[in-house]
Structure formats: structure tokens, C-alpha cells
Amino acid sequence: MLQVSIDPAKVPQELSQKTPGYWASVGRRFLRDKVAVGAALVVLGLVLLALIGQWLAPADPYASSMLSRLKPLGTPGHPLGTDELGRDMLSRLLTGARLSLFMGITPVLCAFVIGSCLGILAGYAGGAINSTIMRTIDVFYAFPSVLLAIALSGALGAGIFNALLSLTIVFVPPIARVAESVTTQVRGRDFVEAARASGAGAFTIVRVHVLGNVLGPIFVYATSLIAVSMILASGLSFLGLGVKPPEPEWGLMLNTLRTAIYTQPWIAALPGVMIFITSISFNMLSDGLRSAMDVKQ
Amino acid sequence: MNTAVASPAASSTAATPLLRVRNLVKHFPLKGKRVDGKPAVVRAVDDIDFDVLEGETLGVVGESGCGKSTTARLLMHLINPDAGEIVFDGKVVGSRELSLREFRRQVQMVFQDSYASLNPRLTVAESIAFGPMVHGESRDTAERRARDLLERVGLSPARFAERYPHELSGGQRQRVNIARALALQPRLLILDEATSALDKSVEAQVLNLLVDLKADFGLTYLFISHDLHVVRYLSDRVMVMYLGEVAELAPSQALFETPHHPYARALLASMPTLDPDRRTEQAPLAGDPPNPVNPPSGCRFHTRCVFAEPLCSQRAASLAPATARSREGADPLHVVACHMMQAGSGHSQTGLSQTAPSGAATEQVSA
């Protein structure tokens, strides 16, 4: 017979090192997902571009020249050609990253805060409060999101702030609905009951036990909306409801260059390519986050 | 506290009950109305009375859906009772003398699902320390108590304090839940199927832990289970519930030796036995419990009871000592809600001897 003796004083030494928390393990799984890491790097690059793009620009993005309009790709001095007013495309794309990303992220961020508050309140309170909040929010579902954004922007008037406001209003309902459904699930779990049984108030329970379990899923959903927000913001700019010319913003550039689609299709497509890259990276990033978080907790 | 080891019969006459429950009612309304126009309600708990004595373990048994867990949740006010009075240590819960918050500090609960009852985002120590911190203790004090309690429930704090629930086995998690419940230094612990989901060997360890903790901390247990062997092992008194009502309430030994209520007999007959010569040949009870939405009139058990008479469907029997079973005075601690057991109720079986009725159920039990 094999005799195994274990000195109890020694065993815990090895095992007592702090095990990684939930977020650490999410990070580890995320790093193993090559597509998601790639998308994260692209997003990081875009954010960097938004911060320093205007200093990278080789030329003044506002300087127009009637002599060099719609030059093709690879023109000396203008590697990405020029637009319909002869402005350097590369400079405008680099400078435009800031405004485009701002228009994509800000409304989602605001809607994340507002929608989470509403949804968690509705989900945790339940009953009449839930019905009041959720039915009000359902009203917004009656309109397609593009139409709603256009209608709100149109009613509020053109301008960046109004565009942001209308996009925020568009994104609050879906985020609130996701927040409500995950909160309702968490609320029914026994550990929330146990917290109530230990005499904790609703605010403490939400802070300690609900937030940690619901913010992750809501955040993942919100990142997937950034792409939608960028496209909607571009759409608003395209319709003249968001950013005004001559500001460089990808959506607006796509709009003003559409007349050149037959003469210089590559130039006209460039802002669209940027929007596409941005939105698809955000989508893949949120997919990666979702699968990294969607493992047995 | 020292009455914990005394016999329940001796302590019950002297001590005032730690917990007194009177006329507790919970009806869950259902959506829509019944055919006759009355709103449909599930009578989950329908007017029950019982006491829990200081230092005892009161077992609660019954089929699924009989209202055991609802009773536990009503006691903790996790769901609000429709009616009834809960008196803890002589003070009405929710009154100025004893706020709900203070009551919840003195009464804690352990749930069946050891995993769902721990927050997956908190470490074991954080989960245990949460209760004391809610009641105003500093983080340091609370965490120190959490580590002490981990030690008490048999988990090394050095190994387990910083772990997350998913890294623990079911038995370890349930130990953490017990530590969490004890962190507020309660006097009464409600154990709602606390060991039912565990492996038999682990369950035995946790049950022994519960016995030790009860002696060490001077606790009182309300032990809810569908496992009669476990209830018999742990309980001083046992309450049998059927369809939201109390069918029988008796000292453990008396109930397991001479169950009075036909339902209690059938329930005990359903206990698996290890003796191959006494195997259960015939199902002690046929069918499922009736729908609690529209419970039977009179005695709720009459639809499944072999002794049912017209009287049983007309009038419900109240919980009272079995006066029809003993000439020299019934045991006042052994109460049963059955017409057969109450002299002068009008049931034809009153006054018969204990073993008179035939049937597999009674033979099993009286043996």
C-alpha cells in the first residue's frame, strides 16, 4: 500500500495564492481570441487616430484648390487624391476620425448610462414601475431607428449637439430593454434573496450584487451599437442634419463626394471604407467580449 | 441556550417559543379569472399556526408544493404574507419593538441551491462579510469574522477566503452559505432544503456540521426537507404539511412511531427501508396532490384518504390533540388535523385502536 502523508500546514501554501477574479479570466479568454484581439487593435488605432490625426495630416484639410479637384489616387502630393473642392483626402480622412468616432461613441455612452439606470430600476423594482418605464420605452420601438433619428434631428434642427441628442434618444430604448431583462434575471437569483434576508436596502443590493452581474452584458450590447451609431450619424450628416460642411466627417464626406461616384469612384468610396472598417471592428470587438464573458461564471 | 440538549417535551412547557406563527396566509393570485368569475388564487400557505421553541430543531416535511418553502420565505418576509402574525422572542415582527431589519439580523436562511445563492462576482470572504457590513461593521471587522466563520465551517480561510464560488464544490459552497448565514450571529436559522442538493456523503458531513454549530452557537433550526431520514436524524419536533396546511405536528419520536394523520402515515410509509423483508410493495398513496388553486373542501386530504367519509369533505378538522386515541388523555404536544383522531367529531373511525385500519401504510409504520 502506498502511504501518502500530507502535512496540512504545507498544502495551503501552494494553493493560497489569490485566484484570478472574474475580469482577469475574461481578459485571458479575450486574449486567446485572435479575431477579437485584431479588432481591438484596429479600434485602438482608430481611437489614437482620433486623438492625434489632425497632427498627422500632411496638408490643411480645409484648404481647397479649384485647380486640383478630384485628383485620382496616387497623385503626387495627394496620395489619396483630392475631393470635389480640391482638398487633400488623406488629411481630411485623418482629421475626420475624431469627429466621426465622437459621433459614434458619445450617443452610445450617454445611452448606456441613461438606459442602464432606467433598465436596472425597472428590472429591480418590478411591478408598476417596470410597466411604466418599459411601456414608455416601447413607444420608441414603434419607429424604425433611422426614421426616429432623422425625425428627432429634423425637429430639433441641424447641428452636432442635436444630432447627438437624437442618437442618444434612439439608443436608450434598446439598452434599457437589455438592462431590464438581465436585471430581472439576476433579481430572481437566490443570492439577491439572501442579501435581502440579511437586511440590506435596495440601493446596497443593486450596488453590490446587481451591478457587477448586469453591467458586463449591457456593455457588450452597447459596444455593438457603436457601429450602428456611426452609420446613423453618417446618415444624419449625409442628410445635412448632423455635422455641417466644411467639417471633415466621414459621413458628410461620403455625401458630398457622391456626385463624383462616376468620375472618381475610388475617391468617393474612401470615407465609406473608413466607416466600414470602424463599424466592423467594433462589431467584432463586441462579439469577442461577449464570448469571453459568456463562459460559466 | 442550554435547553438545546434537553428533551423537547421538557423545554416546550417551560420556555416561551422563540418564534410564534399565527394564521399565516399567502395566496398567490393567478392571471385571469376562473370560470365562475372568482379570481383564481394559489393557496400556497393557508392559515397555518406553529411555534418554534428556543434551542430546538423543528423539521418541516411534505410533498413538493405543500408550502414548505413558501412558509420559509414568508417568515423572512422575502414575500409578504397576506395575513398572519409572526412573533419573535415575544415581539411582533414589523412592530416598533422589533423592526423587520432587526428581525432579519436574528433570523437567517440557507437556500437549497448552493451556487445560485452566492454572488458569482464576489469572493467567498466578501459574500460572508456583506451581511455584517450592511449592519454597520467596518470592512476589517467583517472580513475578520468571515475568516473566523470559514474556519468554523471547516474551510481553511487561507485557501478559501479569496476564492470565487465557481471554484468550490457543492458541499464547500453550502458551507460558505452556512457561514454567510451565521455572520450576523442569528438565533434562528431557516434551512430550506439546505442539504437536499448534495451528495449523500457530503450531505452527512454538512448535517454533522449543522449539529455541531447548533450546539456551539446555541442556535434554533427550522429545518425544511423532503428527506424524512434526515429530518428524523436532526429534528426534535416535526411538522407535516399538506397543501398549505399543517396536517400534524408532534415530537419527532412520537411522529415517526405513531403518526396519527393518514397523510403522515402514508408519507412515512414512503420512506425507503433498508430491510428487504419490509420492502414497500404497494404505493402508499395514489395520484398527485390536488391543485392548490382549487383545493378540496373540508379536509384537504379527503380526496386521497382511504378513511374519507362525507363529513371529511364538509368540514375541515382543526389542529388538536388526538383525544380519540388515548383514554388517559392525549399528548398535548402531538396535534393532528384529522376528524378520526378527535373524539366527538362524528367520524365513524373515532375511538378505534391505533392499528385497526388495514392497508400497507399503517403496517409499515406500526412495525
Side-chain angles (χ1 to χ4, degrees):
Chain A
M1 282 284 273
L2 183 67
Q3 274 285 334
V4 182
S5 69
I6 298 170
D7 184 354
K10 279 184 182 157
V11 176
Q13 291 294 316
E14 202 184 342
L15 294 164
S16 67
Q17 53 187 312
K18 190 174 164 145
T19 49
Y22 170 75
W23 291 108
S25 65
V26 167
R28 221 176 35 235
R29 277 193 297 272
F30 184 80
L31 289 178
R32 255 184 256 143
D33 184 349
K34 291 198 180 65
V35 177
V37 171
L41 288 177
V42 174
V43 166
L44 208 66
L46 285 166
V47 170
L48 210 65
L49 205 62
L51 293 175
I52 60 165
Q54 65 184 110
W55 292 287
L56 294 178
D60 180 355
Y62 298 100
S64 56
S65 155
M66 283 300 134
L67 293 176
S68 53
R69 289 164 55 194
L70 291 172
K71 292 284 184 213
L73 299 177
T75 307
H78 303 291
L80 292 182
T82 58
D83 69 359
E84 77 287 353
L85 293 175
R87 295 173 292 199
D88 181 44
M89 277 302 283
L90 177 62
S91 306
R92 283 183 70 77
L93 287 176
L94 290 175
T95 319
R98 175 178 294 184
L99 206 51
S100 304
L101 236 53
F102 178 74
M103 295 294 288
I105 293 173
T106 317
V108 175
L109 209 63
C110 297
F112 176 68
V113 174
I114 301 169
S116 298
C117 289
L118 285 174
I120 292 171
L121 175 65
Y124 191 77
I129 296 178
N130 182 318
S131 302
T132 311
I133 294 176
M134 295 318 287
R135 293 302 82 76
T136 311
I137 274 169
D138 283 348
V139 171
F140 288 87
Y141 271 99
F143 312 100
S145 57
V146 183
L147 203 63
L148 184 61
I150 293 170
L152 286 168
S153 276
L156 293 166
I160 292 182
F161 179 78
N162 286 343
L164 290 178
L165 189 65
S166 67
L167 287 175
T168 303
I169 295 172
V170 166
F171 291 127
V172 165
I175 289 180
R177 186 174 268 188
V178 169
E180 190 258 352
S181 83
V182 289
T183 307
T184 307
Q185 281 169 25
V186 168
R187 186 204 147 79
R189 306 264 295 274
D190 281 346
F191 66 81
V192 174
E193 298 263 275
R196 287 175 62 207
S198 60
F203 183 75
T204 313
I205 294 176
V206 168
R207 185 171 56 81
V208 177
H209 292 289
V210 176
L211 278 187
N213 287 288
V214 302
L215 281 186
I218 306 173
F219 180 75
V220 167
Y221 179 68
T223 39
S224 77
L225 288 178
I226 290 178
V228 182
S229 173
M230 283 206 53
I231 292 167
L232 276 184
S234 304
L236 288 180
S237 301
F238 182 88
L239 293 170
L241 288 169
V243 182
K244 286 195 181 118
E247 292 295 327
E249 196 268 339
W250 297 338
L252 185 64
M253 288 161 72
L254 200 63
N255 177 21
T256 53
L257 279 165
R258 77 182 189 281
T259 48
I261 193 123
Y262 298 110
T263 48
Q264 290 290 0
W266 294 112
I267 301 289
L270 279 176
V273 169
M274 291 307 286
I275 293 171
F276 174 76
I277 291 174
T278 316
S279 68
I280 204 161
S281 335
F282 272 110
N283 265 338
M284 276 162 22
L285 176 68
S286 80
D287 270 0
L289 278 178
R290 193 203 324 276
S291 52
M293 284 164 60
D294 187 34
V295 184
K296 200 185 96 192
Q297 294 159 340
Chain B
M1 303 290 170
N2 52 9
T3 53
V5 284
S7 81
S11 60
S12 63
T13 43
T16 53
L18 181 65
L19 183 76
R20 175 189 286 267
V21 176
R22 288 293 175 268
N23 306 104
L24 192 64
V25 177
K26 182 67 192 182
H27 294 174
F28 293 108
L30 290 178
K31 289 241 166 76
K33 300 203 168 184
R34 292 202 331 235
V35 183
D36 58 7
K38 287 182 200 154
V41 290
V42 177
R43 294 164 174 263
V45 170
D46 210 8
D47 198 6
I48 63 170
D49 297 347
F50 64 92
D51 293 340
V52 184
L53 309 176
E54 176 108 48
E56 77 166 344
T57 297
L58 176 64
V60 181
V61 296
E63 280 165 293
S64 302
C66 70
K68 303 184 300 268
S69 289
T70 307
T71 305
R73 277 159 206 261
L74 285 174
L75 291 181
M76 291 305 292
H77 284 75
L78 292 175
I79 44 182
N80 287 320
D82 293 336
E85 190 180 52
I86 298 171
V87 183
F88 184 77
D89 205 16
K91 297 166 199 145
V92 178
V93 174
S95 69
R96 201 178 307 160
E97 280 181 306
L98 183 67
S99 67
L100 185 55
R101 191 178 152 91
E102 180 55 25
F103 171 72
R104 280 172 165 171
R105 202 189 63 67
Q106 303 207 29
V107 182
Q108 280 289 297
M109 184 162 167
V110 178
F111 298 82
Q112 173 173 11
D113 187 337
S114 66
Y115 185 60
S117 48
L118 288 173
N119 185 341
R121 299 283 185 275
L122 296 186
T123 63
V124 161
E126 285 169 341
S127 276
I128 301 172
F130 175 76
M133 280 168 69
V134 163
H135 286 269
E137 291 196 17
S138 72
R139 179 175 290 272
D140 279 355
T141 324
E143 297 240 338
R144 212 172 311 128
R145 177 166 321 150
R147 286 168 177 272
D148 288 349
L149 281 166
L150 276 176
E151 190 90 59
R152 293 300 289 270
V153 298
L155 298 175
S156 149
R159 275 181 67 184
F160 290 98
E162 302 299 326
R163 294 219 175 175
Y164 287 85
H166 72 266
E167 302 172 300
L168 272 51
S169 72
Q172 289 167 341
R173 278 201 292 264
Q174 204 57 303
R175 286 170 191 263
V176 172
N177 280 315
I178 292 167
R180 188 251 310 271
L182 292 177
L184 291 172
Q185 296 169 319
R187 294 167 67 191
L188 173 64
L189 204 56
I190 299 174
L191 300 148
D192 184 7
E193 303 269 11
T195 60
S196 308
L198 303 175
D199 293 346
K200 277 294 157 204
S201 57
V202 177
E203 178 175 22
Q205 293 168 9
V206 174
L207 287 173
N208 286 331
L209 172 70
L210 287 172
V211 171
D212 293 345
L213 291 172
K214 185 183 169 191
D216 291 354
F217 290 97
L219 295 167
T220 303
Y221 286 162
L222 183 69
F223 188 84
I224 298 170
S225 179
H226 60 258
D227 187 333
L228 295 163
H229 291 287
V230 168
V231 168
R232 183 176 203 170
Y233 171 70
L234 216 62
S235 304
D236 300 310
R237 292 193 306 149
V238 177
M239 178 161 89
V240 181
M241 287 186 73
Y242 184 74
L243 274 186
E245 290 184 336
V246 179
E248 188 162 355
L249 177 59
S252 184
Q253 194 181 1
L255 183 88
F256 280 94
E257 281 171 7
T258 56
H260 285 341
H261 198 285
Y263 174 67
R265 285 183 214 164
L267 197 66
L268 297 190
S270 72
M271 280 171 82
T273 166
L274 288 176
D275 183 349
D277 295 333
R278 295 201 295 146
R279 61 178 77 232
T280 312
E281 304 281 354
Q282 200 181 335
L285 262 191
D288 291 325
N291 189 344
V293 175
N294 194 6
S297 60
C299 172
R300 290 192 177 172
F301 189 58
H302 82 259
T303 52
R304 298 164 85 191
C305 181
V306 284
F307 309 106
E309 295 187 354
L311 164 77
C312 296
S313 60
Q314 289 155 13
R315 191 155 54 82
S318 54
L319 208 56
T323 47
R325 279 292 171 266
S326 170
R327 308 248 180 273
E328 62 272 23
D331 180 0
L333 295 171
H334 190 159
V335 290
V336 53
C338 179
H339 291 305
M340 286 196 296
M341 299 297 153
Q342 281 149 24
S345 67
H347 195 287
S348 66
Q349 300 271 353
T350 53
L352 290 182
S353 73
Q354 193 77 52
T355 51
S358 61
T362 37
E363 277 164 19
Q364 285 284 331
V365 168
S366 54

